[in-house]
Amino acid sequence: MPGVGVAGAAALLAWGIHTVVPAIPLLTASVALGILVAQLPSTRGALTGTLAPGLSLAAKKFMRLGIVLLGLKLSLVDIAHLGWISIVTVVAVLVVTFVATLWLGRLFGLPGHQPLLIATGFSICGASAIGAMSHVVKSKDEETATPVALVTLCGTLAIAVLPLLWHPLGLNSLQFGHWVGASVHDVGQVVATAQIAGSAALAVAIVVKLTRVLMLAPMVAITSVVMRKREGAPTAGGKRPPIVPLFVAGFIFAVLVRTFVPLPASVTDAVDTVQTALLAMALFGLGTAVRLGQLVRTGWRALLVALLSWTLIAALGWGAVQLG
């Protein structure tokens, strides 16, 4: 309970920061707070001692619950309204970015599951996608922390850089919204970036972004199948991972509910609040596993892979806008 309580307090603080400075997405603030706390010598003992069980619970269980509820933001009808060309290009950008980033991660010799986690986060939906994939591959919190920190860093960088390129690239407001939705990682970062172009651009950005989020389910399921086939892929308990993890099935069910069941605005608003709170607590927990000193000393290769992936998806997203 102490760790969960601290994660909850951090989520409230992140909400306060977002309220005072709306340009800072709440979930980005949550990760940043976790990273900041982890660097303080006075808190490290508690983070690895009394608070560790609760923070781990938040980083894993709350993350999965938050991803399930994220499905209630997705309507297949809204995605269909994009048109088949836009849908195909969004999926193509995602797949190319995923494969290229995975290849870059292995080329630069990143350890363990880092190439897969960075590829997942940068191509699909940021830190929440990393959390989902880490569950399937059974990565440690320390192994997950670096990709989370990098996707947060690059997503925050996009909030500052993409608006500066809006007019020089000759994009109208709707094209800018499409570009942001296709290339920025976290949903909150998409909102913070696209809202400067107006409500129409923001609406397009969110629909395009949520189309990418929908790909989380098949990507995780495919990875799970690969893990099952790879030498039986036994887990610590001697069991192979399920073809479709339970939380992914819950995510798909939530998407279908949102598509076919008319939900009152009060219900969707309440669910959105709970989902955001769960993810904020989870990302704070993941942030506390980041050690910047170690990242600076040994993580330059991961940083380079992240920057290359960030540049690639921005370029591919711009190309998709031209085709659309």
Side-chain angles (χ1 to χ4, degrees):
M1 290 308 295
V4 172
V6 169
L12 285 174
L13 180 56
W15 173 80
I17 293 172
H18 172 67
T19 301
V20 174
V21 187
I24 301 177
L26 190 155
L27 298 184
T28 299
S30 298
V31 177
L33 286 172
I35 294 173
L36 177 62
V37 169
Q39 312 319 307
L40 302 176
S42 59
T43 62
R44 289 180 183 173
L47 292 177
T48 56
T50 307
L51 302 180
L55 292 174
S56 179
L57 173 67
K60 296 177 180 177
K61 301 293 186 182
F62 289 5
M63 175 68 77
R64 296 169 203 164
L65 288 174
I67 290 170
V68 170
L69 295 180
L70 182 61
L72 289 178
K73 288 185 175 182
L74 274 167
S75 170
L76 297 179
V77 175
D78 291 337
I79 293 174
H81 285 163
L82 287 174
W84 71 270
I85 294 178
S86 294
I87 294 173
V88 169
T89 56
V90 167
V91 174
V93 168
L94 186 154
V95 172
V96 172
T97 302
F98 180 88
V99 173
T101 305
L102 184 61
W103 176 78
L104 284 170
R106 291 174 175 171
L107 178 67
F108 280 83
L110 299 188
H113 297 298
Q114 278 193 12
L116 175 62
L117 297 179
I118 293 175
T120 301
F122 277 75
S123 63
I124 304 177
C125 57
S128 56
I130 292 171
M133 190 64 77
S134 68
H135 168 68
V136 173
V137 300
K138 306 298 181 184
S139 63
K140 299 178 180 179
D141 288 349
E142 296 78 8
E143 190 177 27
T144 306
T146 295
V148 168
L150 292 173
V151 81
T152 302
L153 171 65
C154 291
T156 304
L157 191 61
I159 297 173
V161 173
L162 265 60
L164 297 177
L165 299 176
W166 170 17
H167 295 299
L169 290 176
L171 302 175
N172 61 39
S173 59
L174 293 183
Q175 288 176 322
F176 178 72
H178 190 143
W179 184 39
V180 171
S183 57
V184 179
H185 313 309
D186 179 77
V187 176
Q189 294 163 345
V190 166
V191 172
T193 308
Q195 53 86 27
I196 68 168
S199 58
L202 178 58
V204 170
I206 291 175
V207 174
V208 172
K209 174 59 190 173
L210 292 180
T211 303
R212 290 168 61 196
V213 173
L214 186 62
M215 291 296 294
L216 177 63
M219 296 297 279
V220 169
I222 290 170
T223 302
S224 183
V225 170
V226 172
M227 293 293 291
R228 286 171 62 90
K229 290 183 177 180
R230 183 177 297 171
E231 299 179 359
T235 66
K239 298 180 180 179
R240 297 195 297 178
I243 294 177
V244 180
L246 183 60
F247 75 95
V248 174
F251 170 82
I252 296 171
F253 177 75
V255 172
L256 295 176
V257 168
R258 180 59 189 267
T259 302
F260 297 107
V261 178
L263 297 175
S266 57
V267 172
T268 56
D269 289 345
V271 169
D272 183 63
T273 299
V274 173
Q275 177 255 332
T276 301
L278 288 170
L279 289 182
M281 295 171 70
L283 292 177
F284 174 80
L286 286 174
T288 60
V290 176
R291 298 294 180 267
L292 290 180
Q294 181 179 358
L295 183 60
V296 169
R297 290 191 300 272
T298 63
W300 67 268
R301 291 175 299 170
L303 177 59
L304 184 56
V305 170
L307 291 173
L308 290 172
S309 179
W310 177 68
T311 303
L312 174 64
I313 195 171
L316 292 174
W318 178 83
V321 169
Q322 304 309 307
L323 292 175

